[in-house]
């Protein structure tokens, strides 16, 4: 008991020691927590940097007011070459000569929202800028001698010529901190070439801009168009089955079913053992096209050569489609007859008879299936097949008419 009294620190004469002990413990806990938070935040930031290649991808040019986005960032496996592909909604009123553009790069701390006070390693980079005509695509090519350090970069892309001013530059979100947005038509993005979401590709090692456009722009859009085409075919196949079912139902109800409309009669739709639906039309629309795209791509086939005359330019061909004036015509008959020649009455009073109710419901379903088939077929021949041809034409133009800028000073690291 005497020993217990000697070691007590909470007695009257030990209050200072008690306060110091408690305060020291609290400070130690706070220090440990602070270190833990800092370590956690650092690891979280490092993880975000390693995951993301783009930290600010959409933009509006400061003077011409054009909206755009980063379509993709491409890197080679060694991560010392990079292409940033930009896509504008349109290029109307924008300069399409790459020689008019400059690029400024600076390290940027995305977590503090400010320029990095120091670089981890010096960025030694060179590169060039490309404009793919009026397609809406531009590209920045960068090659880093020592590779890209694991940090973010603010990239300002500036056009030194303005065709037209469409917006008040003060409305641009970057104008408040940088007066150059009021002087030049420019936009800003933030990227990290080491991010996992950057797409690795081999064509950067032996860089060829045509291969870039083919692989980056054409392949992605081609896949989307082919998916749309096959969706059209699946819709037609489904409606075609419905039409056949309704015709059988109506014939069993002693209805005189009219012959199939010209836009469907003669069409062949078959599903093979792999579930692939093959479509072979007998008729297609004058403002549309038809060609065999199954099993072929723009890598190995020119669909334009299949449909346009040898002496026609692409523009003349597309104009011939656009100049067609569609005439209004009824897709389904207005009057229906029973097998005995009597006119079918669609009034509510006739629906009191169960047999007539079945007749009217099948006629309505049949007419709707015909309209759905017609709409899907028009979408196939007049929209998506034509979109495929526009894509091919744009590919040819981009390969022939792109401009590039590798002049001294086109890329500045500051």
């Amino acid at each position: 008991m005497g020993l217990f009294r000697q070691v007590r620190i909470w007695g009257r004469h030990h209050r200072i020691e008690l306060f110091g002990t408690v305060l020291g413990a609290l400070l130690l806990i706070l220090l440990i927590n602070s270190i833990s938070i800092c370590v956690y935040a650092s690891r979280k930031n490092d993880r975000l940097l390693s995951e993301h290649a783009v930290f600010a991808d959409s933009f509006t040019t400061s003077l011409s007011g054009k909206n755009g986005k980063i379509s993709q960032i491409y890197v080679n496996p060694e991560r010392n070459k990079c292409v940033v592909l930009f896509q504008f909604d349109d290029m109307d009123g924008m300069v399409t000569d790459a020689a008019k553009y400059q690029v400024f790069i600076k390290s940027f701390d995305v977590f503090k929202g400010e320029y990095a006070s120091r670089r981890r390693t010096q960025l030694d980079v060179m590169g060039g800028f490309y404009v793919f005509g009026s397609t809406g695509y531009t590209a920045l090519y960068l090659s880093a001698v020592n590779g890209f350090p694991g940090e973010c970069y603010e990239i300002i892309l500036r056009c030194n010529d303005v065709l037209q001013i469409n917006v008040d530059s003060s409305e641009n979100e970057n104008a408040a901190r940088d007066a150059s947005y009021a002087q030049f038509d420019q936009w800003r993005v933030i990227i990290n070439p080491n991010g996992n979401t950057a797409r690795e590709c081999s064509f950067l090692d032996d860089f060829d801009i045509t291969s870039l456009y083919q692989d980056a722009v054409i392949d992605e859009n081609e896949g989307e168009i082919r998916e749309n085409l096959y969706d059209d075919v699946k819709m037609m196949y489904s409606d075609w089955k419905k039409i056949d079912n309704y015709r059988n139902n109506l014939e069993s109800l002693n209805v005189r079913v009219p012959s199939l409309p010209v836009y469907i009669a003669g069409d062949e739709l078959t599903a093979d053992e792999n579930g692939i639906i093959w479509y072979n039309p007998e008729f297609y629309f004058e403002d549309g096209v038809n060609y065999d795209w199954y099993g072929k791509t723009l890598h190995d086939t020119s669909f334009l050569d299949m449909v346009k005359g040898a002496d026609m330019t692409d523009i003349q061909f597309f104009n011939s489609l656009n100049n067609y004036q569609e005439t209004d015509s009824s897709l389904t008959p207005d009057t229906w007859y029973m097998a005995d020649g009597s006119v079918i009455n669609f009034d509510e009073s006739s629906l009191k008879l169960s047999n007539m109710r079945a007749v009217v419901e099948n006629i309505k379903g049949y007419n709707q299936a015909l309209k759905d088939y017609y709409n899907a077929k028009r979408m196939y021949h007049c929209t998506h097949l034509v979109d495929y041809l526009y894509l091919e034409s744009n590919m040819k133009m981009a390969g022939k008419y792109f401009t590039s800028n590798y002049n001294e000073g086109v890329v500045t690291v500051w």
Side-chain angles (χ1 to χ4, degrees):
M1 190 64 179
L3 178 63
F4 178 72
R5 287 174 180 163
Q6 291 178 14
V7 298
R8 283 189 307 167
I9 63 170
W10 52 83
R12 179 181 301 175
H13 301 292
H14 298 282
R15 288 175 181 173
I16 295 176
E17 291 89 338
L18 175 62
F19 175 77
T21 302
V22 173
L23 180 61
L26 289 175
L27 290 175
L28 179 61
I29 293 172
L30 287 174
L31 178 62
I32 294 173
N33 285 340
S34 298
I35 294 174
S36 299
I37 291 172
C38 290
V39 171
Y40 173 79
S42 177
R43 289 178 177 175
K44 182 179 179 181
N45 291 347
D46 289 342
R47 186 177 69 253
L48 287 173
L49 275 178
S50 66
E51 290 176 355
H52 298 286
V54 180
F55 286 85
D57 62 343
S58 60
F59 51 83
T60 300
T61 56
S62 59
L63 297 180
S64 58
K66 296 299 180 179
N67 295 320
K69 65 178 182 179
I70 292 179
S71 177
Q72 186 57 265
I73 293 183
Y74 299 89
V75 293
N76 64 337
E78 292 75 25
R79 301 275 172 151
N80 58 10
K81 295 179 181 179
C82 168
V83 168
V84 185
L85 185 67
F86 303 98
Q87 181 182 4
F88 287 91
D89 292 346
D90 66 78
M91 294 287 286
D92 294 339
M94 287 192 68
V95 176
T96 56
D97 182 2
K100 301 290 186 179
Y101 289 84
Q102 281 181 278
V103 181
F104 301 90
I105 303 175
K106 189 175 179 71
S107 296
F108 192 83
D109 190 328
V110 293
F111 306 109
K112 294 181 179 179
E114 59 187 27
Y115 293 117
S117 58
R118 62 181 180 82
R119 284 198 180 91
R120 298 176 183 177
T121 57
Q122 182 65 31
L123 180 64
D124 187 2
V125 67
M126 58 183 179
F129 190 74
Y130 295 86
V131 179
F132 297 99
S134 58
T135 63
Y137 286 94
T138 65
L140 171 64
Y141 171 71
L142 299 173
S143 177
V145 176
N146 300 313
F148 294 100
E151 57 187 2
C152 290
Y153 301 99
E154 178 195 69
I155 300 180
I156 297 176
L157 299 105
R158 173 183 299 173
C159 182
N160 292 304
D161 193 7
V162 182
L163 297 182
Q164 60 186 43
I165 297 177
N166 297 322
V167 295
D168 183 353
S169 62
S170 63
E171 298 177 359
N172 191 285
E173 62 181 357
N174 301 304
R177 64 180 184 82
D178 191 336
S180 65
Y181 284 85
Q183 297 177 278
F184 305 98
D185 195 26
Q186 59 189 37
W187 69 95
R188 166 185 180 260
V189 294
I190 299 174
I191 70 166
N192 168 30
N194 284 295
N196 293 335
T197 55
R199 184 180 298 177
E200 288 192 0
C201 53
S202 58
F203 61 75
L204 290 185
D205 287 325
D206 187 16
F207 185 60
D208 174 63
I209 193 62
T210 305
S211 296
L212 166 67
Y213 192 82
Q214 174 76 46
D215 292 357
V217 179
I218 298 301
D219 287 357
E220 181 175 348
N221 288 300
E222 184 175 21
E224 181 179 342
I225 290 175
R226 294 177 73 88
E227 185 175 339
N228 290 336
L229 285 169
Y230 198 64
D231 285 343
D232 295 337
V233 172
K234 287 191 288 186
M235 181 66 70
M236 279 189 283
Y237 184 74
S238 174
D239 293 328
W240 183 68
K241 301 285 283 186
K242 291 178 184 178
I243 290 168
D244 186 58
N245 182 63
Y246 283 124
R247 289 182 68 87
N248 290 334
N249 291 345
L250 290 168
E251 288 173 355
S252 67
L253 291 167
N254 294 318
V255 174
R256 187 185 298 171
V257 184
S259 58
L260 286 170
V262 65
Y263 63 82
I264 182 174
D267 285 1
E268 296 178 2
L269 291 113
T270 56
D272 64 18
E273 64 277 6
N274 298 316
I276 297 175
I277 301 170
W278 297 87
Y279 166 57
N280 182 31
E282 184 173 286
F283 163 88
Y284 62 93
F285 308 93
E286 292 184 41
D287 55 336
V289 293
N290 185 56
Y291 53 88
D292 181 15
W293 57 274
Y294 283 85
K296 305 176 181 68
T297 70
L298 292 178
H299 279 280
D300 51 44
T301 305
S302 171
F303 299 125
L304 272 168
D305 290 344
M306 294 182 181
V307 295
K308 74 180 184 73
D311 57 344
M312 293 181 71
T313 65
D314 291 359
I315 294 176
Q316 289 172 332
F317 171 73
F318 290 120
N319 285 340
S320 69
L321 297 178
N322 296 331
N323 291 335
Y324 174 77
Q325 299 296 320
E326 184 182 0
T327 58
D328 294 330
S329 59
S330 178
L331 300 179
T332 56
D334 296 323
T335 306
W336 284 72
Y337 300 90
M338 298 298 291
D340 60 6
S342 59
V343 177
I344 297 173
N345 187 356
F346 289 85
D347 292 340
E348 290 293 329
S349 59
S350 67
L351 300 183
K352 294 179 180 180
L353 297 173
S354 59
N355 183 63
M356 289 309 300
R357 185 184 301 115
V359 167
V360 170
E361 288 177 352
N362 275 277
I363 289 175
K364 289 181 178 179
Y366 176 73
N367 287 340
Q368 186 61 52
L370 286 175
K371 291 177 182 178
D372 291 343
Y373 185 94
Y374 176 88
N375 291 333
K377 182 165 183 170
R378 276 202 64 83
M379 188 66 69
Y380 178 87
H381 289 284
C382 304
T383 299
H384 293 141
L385 278 181
V386 176
D387 285 346
Y388 213 162
L389 299 180
Y390 274 115
L391 182 65
E392 180 182 347
S393 183
N394 285 336
M395 180 185 71
K396 293 194 301 183
M397 285 193 297
K400 292 179 180 178
Y401 303 118
F402 73 86
T403 57
S404 62
N405 182 6
Y406 278 85
N407 296 328
E408 185 178 354
V410 64
V411 175
T412 300
V413 179
W414 59 297

